[in-house]
Amino acid sequence: MSLRLDELSRAERPFHARGSKVVRCDACLLPTQNCICEFKPEAGTDVAVLFLMYKGEYYKPTNTGRLIADVVKDNHAFLWKRTEPEEALLALLRNEKYFPIVVFPHEYAAAERCIDTPPLNTGKKLLFIFLDGTWREAKKMFVKSPYLHDFPVLGVSMDVASDYLLRESTHDFQHCTAEVGISVLDLAEQKQGAQTLAHYFSVFRREYLKGKPHLQHKLAFAESQVKSNI
C-alpha cells in the first residue's frame, strides 16, 4: 500500500481504471460498504516477505499480496524495473540477516535451484520473494531479474484448483498470491500465520464478491469458506 501511495503521489495524471468511480476504503481498497479493516489481523510470523510488483499491479483491488503483508510484519515491496533495480532492493537481498528464496514454479527454474521445502536451520530469517503480477508478467520478472538468479526457488505444489474466484486463470495450476502465501507459511512451519492468512483471505474474497453483481453465483461458496476457516 505504501508503494501504491508513492506511485500515486508521483503520477502526472489521475489514475482511472475499471471501477475507479467506486467509493473505496483507502486502507483495504474495497468498496466502503464492504470494508474489511475490522478483520485486519495483528501482524506476526518469524519470516519476511518481499513483493516485486509489476507496474500497475499495486493499483488493483483484486491484488492479494497486501493481505500477506497484513499478516507478515516484516514485509517489503518494490516496483520491478528490468534494467535499473532500486539500490534499496539490492541492499535488502544482500542483507546477511535474510535468506532469500524465490517463490515460483520449478518448471521455469534450473534443477539445481529448486527446493521443495524452505531450509529452517540457516540461522537467518527466511525472506520469501513473490513476483506479483499477471502470469505473463511474473514469468517476465523471473527470467529478466539477474539479481534473483542465485537464489533457491521454492515451487509450491497446489493439488486443488484455485479458490480465488475473482480473476479467471489461464491454467489450473495458477493461484493468487494469497493462496500461495498460505502454502509458503505452512511450509515454513508458520502454522498460525497460515491459518490467519487463510481466514483473512476468505473474508476478503467474500466481501469483494458482495460488490460484484455478475459474480453473485460464487458468493455461496465464498461464504462457506469463511465459516470453514474460522
Side-chain angles (χ1 to χ4, degrees):
M1 294 300 289
S2 297
L3 179 60
R4 177 179 181 272
L5 291 175
D6 181 61
E7 289 293 309
L8 284 173
S9 70
R10 293 188 285 108
E12 297 180 355
R13 58 182 180 179
F15 176 76
H16 296 294
R18 184 174 58 185
S20 60
K21 294 183 179 180
V22 175
V23 179
R24 299 183 180 278
C25 170
D26 290 333
C28 69
L29 299 186
L30 291 182
T32 52
Q33 67 269 26
N34 304 117
C35 173
I36 61 169
C37 289
E38 66 177 290
F39 298 99
K40 182 178 178 180
E42 183 174 347
T45 79
D46 297 322
V47 300
V49 292
L50 162 62
F51 300 97
L52 271 182
M53 307 192 76
Y54 207 86
K55 189 172 180 62
E57 183 65 28
Y58 36 75
Y59 291 128
K60 299 175 182 177
T62 51
N63 179 277
T64 61
R66 65 181 181 276
L67 302 180
I68 301 176
D70 283 343
V71 172
V72 180
K73 187 173 183 179
D74 190 351
N75 64 81
H76 311 264
F78 293 90
L79 174 64
W80 181 74
K81 299 177 181 178
R82 185 176 67 84
T83 57
E84 297 180 355
E86 293 183 42
E87 181 54 39
L89 166 63
L90 300 180
L92 177 66
L93 295 173
R94 293 192 299 261
N95 191 326
E96 288 297 318
K97 172 184 175 181
Y98 296 110
F99 188 93
I101 299 173
V102 181
V103 180
F104 210 71
H106 281 170
E107 62 196 270
Y108 298 96
E112 61 271 18
R113 295 180 63 193
C114 297
I115 59 175
D116 294 315
T117 56
L120 303 178
N121 57 353
T122 65
K124 299 180 179 182
K125 178 180 283 191
L126 298 177
L127 174 66
F128 293 106
I129 303 169
F130 293 86
L131 306 181
D132 210 357
T134 65
W135 182 238
R136 178 176 295 181
E137 291 165 350
K139 287 192 292 184
K140 182 178 179 180
M141 288 189 282
F142 184 76
V143 172
K144 297 183 179 294
S145 302
Y147 46 88
L148 299 180
H149 290 175
D150 291 333
F151 300 138
V153 177
L154 176 65
V156 178
S157 176
M158 317 271 289
D159 296 329
V160 295
S162 173
D163 288 337
Y164 188 30
L165 307 179
L166 310 185
R167 298 188 204 169
E168 294 298 328
S169 298
T170 305
H171 304 288
D172 288 340
F173 61 79
Q174 291 178 25
H175 292 74
C176 76
T177 306
E179 288 176 307
V180 176
I182 294 166
S183 293
V184 167
L185 290 176
D186 192 57
L187 287 172
E189 297 187 359
Q190 303 293 305
K191 305 298 183 182
Q192 183 60 54
Q195 293 172 5
T196 299
L197 179 57
H199 177 62
Y200 191 36
F201 169 60
S202 67
V203 170
F204 163 81
R205 181 176 50 197
R206 178 192 65 189
E207 296 304 313
Y208 185 94
L209 289 172
K210 283 182 180 179
K212 296 293 180 179
H214 66 290
L215 296 177
Q216 293 305 293
H217 62 289
K218 298 181 178 182
L219 186 55
F221 174 79
E223 288 275 12
S224 70
Q225 290 298 102
V226 173
K227 294 176 183 178
S228 66
N229 280 321
I230 294 176

